[in-house]
């Protein structure tokens, strides 16, 4: 954490009053002032003891030991802040993510370690939070609120209780409650949800929200609970409705969900006051992070849609800091603020050349110049895949007493959508086993409890991936992150599942008994300990592996990782069986008469 301003006030004044020299001075740039909305040319920024001492002509504050960075022809802007994101989606550890993100101009994130919470509960949240404390950027935590996502339909690795939230809110750097996605629970006054929100409000922190759709009464009830924001808004009209009620709208641009184009119209078409708008990434994949950017990409998208660049930057700096009640220290370049600063050649590309965090230069001419030592997780974080047995092809057979053929409820995935549909298909039976049918693009899909060594397995059928051979598996399986396996060949399915058990989790493609591609994610089965180039190479190899198995889908392993999420309609797999999300109940795989 940074030292409070009052502890360094005298040293900062010494610089301004000619009694000491600055540690670092950035000279002659164009200042992006997000407080006034101005661009001011010919500005120097003098830094001392992690903070900004002076803005203006700082030539008298440069001593022999002062680092001078010439910003002639460049813009000097506040470091960018991402108000809501899940580090686990990037597949990097917090350290690896931070190193990749700071090169894109991100100097602060507000992470919700929801995925880790589903595997290791409060202990996992604490570890990620501790890792964030050592990261090269400011990593604030919003404590996960909805773990597990549902009751009685699946088995996660852990649960989060009101007491856990109360404890987590006491940790230095926890500044809010993570997205309260169980909005029906809040509206129906679920004791746990209300208790978590109450605990957060008592600490003076923000309960962050997740309200995709509902009546005006539902939205109002949600706000009356104390939740203050939402990052699930996908239309201009819904954004306006929320803003008019005082809700902060976090406009999201992630890898899969891209809402800027539509929601930003509240600014470009309706010229709405921007104080309650923020930009966030929510979930971005490694390729997006490395090739397109992090929150700088969202700012870029807002500018592309017609938002004035200074306003767009304000949506990812001052507004973010103000929402989390941290704007006394962060979010603008004014005297006394923490010296989180980015330099850019122009304000439309949002390509960042240099980054300072707490007055220290971390990125110079787009290159990271300071490495952070790896954070060491305890051994059991590398042993989180506990199936309890070695799997064989027989474990993936769907046995039946029916003869010849049978109608079954298959899960149909939709490309580029988190939604699924129920599809009734007739499948052949061979020796008492229901078989896949490639002519209908129907293959096997299994979900195995990987948390409790029960070996519990649910065998189902899926259509839409167009896999024609082999098998794939993943321990990234939102939200419970059980072991998902899918394929044409049961023996390849067993090889894939056993491989991930052996390496501690990740994603894998198997063909004819051989692993043809994999992304090991040994930290809780969710995150890699590799740095960016190595991880990106593995992800690209995995994509090629899926193509080799016959799938033409864009980012199929991401669609795959959502197939066990029993809160998005219509039909999902869990370790307990087939979940009808429209009724929140487990249903039979084999159709009854009414199917
Ligand atoms: Fe989220």
């Amino acid at each position: 954490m940074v030292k409070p301003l009052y502890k360094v006030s005298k040293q900062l004044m010494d610089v301004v009053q000619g009694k000491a020299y600055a540690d670092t001075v950035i000279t002659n740039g164009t200042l992006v002032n997000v407080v006034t909305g101005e661009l001011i040319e010919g500005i120097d920024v003098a830094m001392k003891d992690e903070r900004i001492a002076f803005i203006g002509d700082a030539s008298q504050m440069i001593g022999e030991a002062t680092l001078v960075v010439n910003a002639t022809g460049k813009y000097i802007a506040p470091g960018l802040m991402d108000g809501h994101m899940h580090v686990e989606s990037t597949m990097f550890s917090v350290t690896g993510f931070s190193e990749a993100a700071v090169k894109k101009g991100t100097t602060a994130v507000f992470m919700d370690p929801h995925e880790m919470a589903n595997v290791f509960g409060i202990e996992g949240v604490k570890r990620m939070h501790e890792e964030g404390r050592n990261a090269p950027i400011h990593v604030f935590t919003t404590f996960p609120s909805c773990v597990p996502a549902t009751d009685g339909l699946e088995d996660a690795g852990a649960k989060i209780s009101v007491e856990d939230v109360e404890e987590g809110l006491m940790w230095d750097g926890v500044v809010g409650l993570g997205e309260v996605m169980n909005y029906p629970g809040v509206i129906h006054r679920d004791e746990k949800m209300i208790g978590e929100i109450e605990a957060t409000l008592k600490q003076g922190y923000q309960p962050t929200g997740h309200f995709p759709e509902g009546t005006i009464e539902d939205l109002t009830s949600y706000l009356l609970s104390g939740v203050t924001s939402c990052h699930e808004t996908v239309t201009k009209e819904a954004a306006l409705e929320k803003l008019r009620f005082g809700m902060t709208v976090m406009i999201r641009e992630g890898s899969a969900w891209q809402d800027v184009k539509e929601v930003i119209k509240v600014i470009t078409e309706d010229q709405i006051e921007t104080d309650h708008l923020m930009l966030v990434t929510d979930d971005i994949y490694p390729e997006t992070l490395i090739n397109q950017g992090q929150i700088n990409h969202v700012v870029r998208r807002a500018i592309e849609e017609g938002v004035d660049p200074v306003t767009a930057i304000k949506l990812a700096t001052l507004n973010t800091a103000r929402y989390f009640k941290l704007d006394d220290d962060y979010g603008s370049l004014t005297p006394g603020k923490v010296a989180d600063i980015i330099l850019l050649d122009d304000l439309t590309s949002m390509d960042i050349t240099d980054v300072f965090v707490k007055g220290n230069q971390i990125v110079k001419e787009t290159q990271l110049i300071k490495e952070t030592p790896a954070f060491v997780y305890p051994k059991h974080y590398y042993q989180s895949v506990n199936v309890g047995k070695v799997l064989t092809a027989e474990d993936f057979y769907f046995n039946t007493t029916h003869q010849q053929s049978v109608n079954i409820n298959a899960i149909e995935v939709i490309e580029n959508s988190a939604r699924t549909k129920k599809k009734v298909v007739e499948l052949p039976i061979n020796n008492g086993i229901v078989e896949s049918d490639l002519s209908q693009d129907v293959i096997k899909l299994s979900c195995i409890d990987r948390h409790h060594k029960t070996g519990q397995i649910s065998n189902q059928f899926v259509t839409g991936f167009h896999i024609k051979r082999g098998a794939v598996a993943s321990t990234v399986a939102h939200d419970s992150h059980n072991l998902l396996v899918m394929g044409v060949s049961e023996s390849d399915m067993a090889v894939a599942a056993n491989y991930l058990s052996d390496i501690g989790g990740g994603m894998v493609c198997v063909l004819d008994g051989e692993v043809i591609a994999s992304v090991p994610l040994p930290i809780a089965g969710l995150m890699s300990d590799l740095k960016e180039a190595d991880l990106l190479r593995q992800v690209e190899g995995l994509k090629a592996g899926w193509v080799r198995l016959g799938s033409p889908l864009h980012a199929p392993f991401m669609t795959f990782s959502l197939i066990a999420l029993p809160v998005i309609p219509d039909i999902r797999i869990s370790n307990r069986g087939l979940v009808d999300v429209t009724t929140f109940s487990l249903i039979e795989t084999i159709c009854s008469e009414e199917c």
Side-chain angles (χ1 to χ4, degrees), residues 375-415:
F375 181 82
V376 179
Y377 281 84
K379 208 172 164 193
H380 65 282
Y381 280 72
Y382 292 82
Q383 297 162 341
S384 70
V385 186
N386 296 302
V387 173
K389 63 190 275 196
V390 175
L391 293 152
T392 64
E394 287 74 26
D395 289 310
F396 297 95
Y397 289 164
F398 192 106
N399 297 303
T400 181
T401 53
H402 289 256
Q403 308 288 318
Q404 291 181 334
S405 71
V406 68
N407 282 342
I408 62 109
N409 291 309
I411 301 170
E412 181 179 9
V413 295
I414 305 161
E415 189 168 12

Side-chain angles (χ1 to χ4, degrees), residues 403-443:
Q403 308 288 318
Q404 291 181 334
S405 71
V406 68
N407 282 342
I408 62 109
N409 291 309
I411 301 170
E412 181 179 9
V413 295
I414 305 161
E415 189 168 12
N416 295 329
S417 170
R419 295 288 292 254
T420 58
K421 284 189 203 160
K422 184 165 79 173
K423 186 173 184 183
V424 177
V425 290
E426 185 180 354
L427 292 181
I429 294 169
N430 192 2
N431 290 329
I433 298 165
V434 183
E435 304 248 290
S436 300
D437 184 354
L438 286 181
S439 69
Q440 299 185 75
D441 180 38
V442 178
I443 59 173

Side-chain angles (χ1 to χ4, degrees), residues 36 89 91 134 148 153 208 243 247 282 314 390 405 425 526 539 566:
T36 60
S89 300
M91 300 189 199
N134 294 317
L153 298 176
T208 68
L243 288 164
M247 195 175 215
D282 197 7
K314 180 184 154 195
V390 175
S405 71
V425 290
L526 300 171
V539 170

Side-chain angles (χ1 to χ4, degrees), residues 86-93 284-286 476 507 519-521 526-530 535 539 542 557-558:
H86 308 278
V87 169
E88 301 95 316
S89 300
T90 69
M91 300 189 199
F92 288 105
S93 66
I284 58 168
Y285 309 146
V476 179
M507 299 177 175
V519 179
L521 301 171
L526 300 171
M527 295 182 286
S528 172
D529 41 19
L530 295 182
L535 178 60
V539 170
L542 190 77
F557 45 93
M558 296 305 170

Side-chain angles (χ1 to χ4, degrees), residues 196-230:
E196 290 182 4
I197 295 166
E198 188 182 318
T200 309
L201 293 172
K202 278 181 182 166
Q203 290 297 324
Y205 295 147
Q206 293 285 23
T208 68
H210 168 123
F211 187 87
E213 57 191 10
T215 64
I216 206 80
E217 289 79 13
D218 286 349
L219 172 62
T220 307
S221 299
Y222 193 59
L223 283 163
L224 291 173
S225 76
V227 174
T228 50
S229 64
C230 172

Side-chain angles (χ1 to χ4, degrees), residues 84 86 179 231 282:
H84 174 75
H86 308 278
E179 58 176 303
H231 69 277
D282 197 7

